[in-house]
Amino acid sequence: MASMPMGGGLPGVFMNSGPSSFADFLGAYRPELLPGNRVAQGSAEHLNIPHATTIVAVTFPGGVIMAGDRRATAGNVIAQRDIEKVFPADEYSAVAIAGTAGIGLEMTRLFQVELEHYEKMEGRLLSLEGKANRLATLIRGNLGMAMQGLVVVPLFAGYDLEKGVGRIFSYDAAGGRYEEHDFHSIGSGSVFARGSLKKLWRPDLSEADARIVCVQALYDAADDDSATGGPDLTRGIFPVLASITDDGFRRVPDEEVGDVARAVVEARYSSPGGPNAPLR
């Protein structure tokens, strides 16, 4: 660790005008603190590390909704029932994680600081495209850990202030960045959630209806994927929903999500497969 100056205070590296990327600064000053520079012994399966599971995102006119279930698993065991996987990246964007939970949470915190650091250094917000690219760089730095089985795959969404629309970006483990249109899902239950989203999404969704679509998709994922947790009415544990519009990031209160979840579960008593899409 860098020694402190004799008179106290911060080392000289903190007083210089450095790069606008906090990750680059940290890589030069304390590279061992970057998530991708940790040393893992054995595979993720051998270590039995908790994994976060299913995330969905849905656009609607005026913004985007991102939602995540609350279950984390370690092998065939439920490691946590109420983990949170959806976080604000900054005022107008959100990031959610699937994969190795611990590394994902560290990467999320680093990404939040990265965007805040850029804003302070440059005096302006990054464009949504620029934020998506910064996240891709952080994921690329975790490639060594991913090759040892500690994979983190985030989903990024936000409100584009220049275009006035909600946008969604997905990634692969090597840092490849892809813009998704209308809706997307990641995680162990994503294939089931995506089928539900494809059936229910419409271009004229209201924000309230987009919330319902997300909860329905997570319910369908939990119905077929044991690693995805559905609404837990007895414990009062519901999916985390976040809305990002021109008013900024807003986490939907648990009471409102609970109302939607209870309505979805109630409807499933008469229609276990969920609502049907019209044929014409």
Side-chain angles (χ1 to χ4, degrees):
M1 183 173 181
S3 60
M4 298 294 287
M6 292 297 293
L10 294 171
V13 65
F14 287 90
M15 309 307 293
N16 299 328
S17 176
S20 59
S21 169
F22 180 78
D24 290 347
F25 168 79
L26 189 61
Y29 179 59
R30 292 289 301 276
E32 73 277 8
L33 295 181
L34 290 171
N37 289 343
R38 304 295 180 85
V39 177
Q41 301 296 327
S43 67
E45 290 75 14
H46 175 70
L47 294 171
N48 219 25
I49 292 174
H51 277 63
T53 47
T54 307
I55 306 294
V56 300
V58 170
T59 61
F60 63 93
V64 59
I65 295 282
M66 182 177 280
D69 81 304
R70 305 292 295 276
R71 179 174 292 177
T73 58
N76 65 328
V77 176
I78 297 175
Q80 189 171 344
R81 298 180 187 276
D82 60 352
I83 190 174
E84 299 208 7
K85 310 168 191 176
V86 179
F87 306 93
D90 68 354
E91 186 179 357
Y92 290 100
S93 60
V95 61
I97 57 166
T100 307
I103 301 295
L105 292 172
E106 286 193 15
M107 187 177 295
T108 296
R109 296 186 189 105
L110 180 59
F111 183 49
Q112 291 169 330
V113 176
E114 174 85 356
L115 298 185
E116 184 177 355
H117 182 78
Y118 179 91
E119 183 178 352
K120 289 179 177 178
M121 295 295 292
E122 300 293 331
R124 62 186 177 87
L125 289 172
L126 263 174
S127 68
L128 192 67
E129 197 103 13
K131 297 171 193 176
N133 290 337
R134 287 292 175 103
L135 182 54
T137 301
L138 295 182
I139 299 167
R140 198 171 299 121
N142 190 59
L143 183 58
M145 300 289 279
M147 294 179 69
Q148 297 180 67
L150 301 177
V151 181
V152 175
V153 182
L155 189 63
F156 177 68
Y159 183 79
D160 192 318
L161 293 169
E162 298 175 1
K163 298 184 177 181
V165 296
R167 300 172 68 186
I168 302 169
F169 297 89
S170 67
Y171 301 85
D172 60 33
R177 192 215 75 178
Y178 314 96
E179 182 165 6
E180 307 294 344
H181 300 286
D182 306 333
F183 55 83
H184 195 63
S185 63
I186 61 171
S188 62
S190 61
V191 62
F192 309 111
R194 198 171 307 162
S196 182
L197 294 171
K198 186 182 295 186
K199 178 176 66 173
L200 299 176
W201 184 86
R202 304 189 310 272
D204 60 346
L205 285 174
S206 65
E207 180 176 344
D209 286 344
R211 296 180 188 179
I212 296 173
V213 169
C214 287
V215 175
Q216 292 278 12
L218 289 175
Y219 190 104
D220 282 332
D223 201 29
D224 288 297
D225 172 46
S226 62
T228 302
D232 191 333
L233 302 186
T234 57
R235 294 183 177 89
I237 300 173
F238 307 110
V240 172
L241 267 69
S243 170
I244 310 102
T245 66
D246 58 353
D247 291 327
F249 175 97
R250 174 179 177 265
R251 173 171 167 156
V252 181
D254 287 343
E255 295 78 13
E256 296 180 27
V257 180
D259 291 341
V260 175
R262 291 185 187 94
V264 167
V265 172
E266 181 67 26
R268 295 281 176 144
Y269 284 114
S270 58
S271 181
N276 295 317
L279 293 177
R280 300 182 188 277

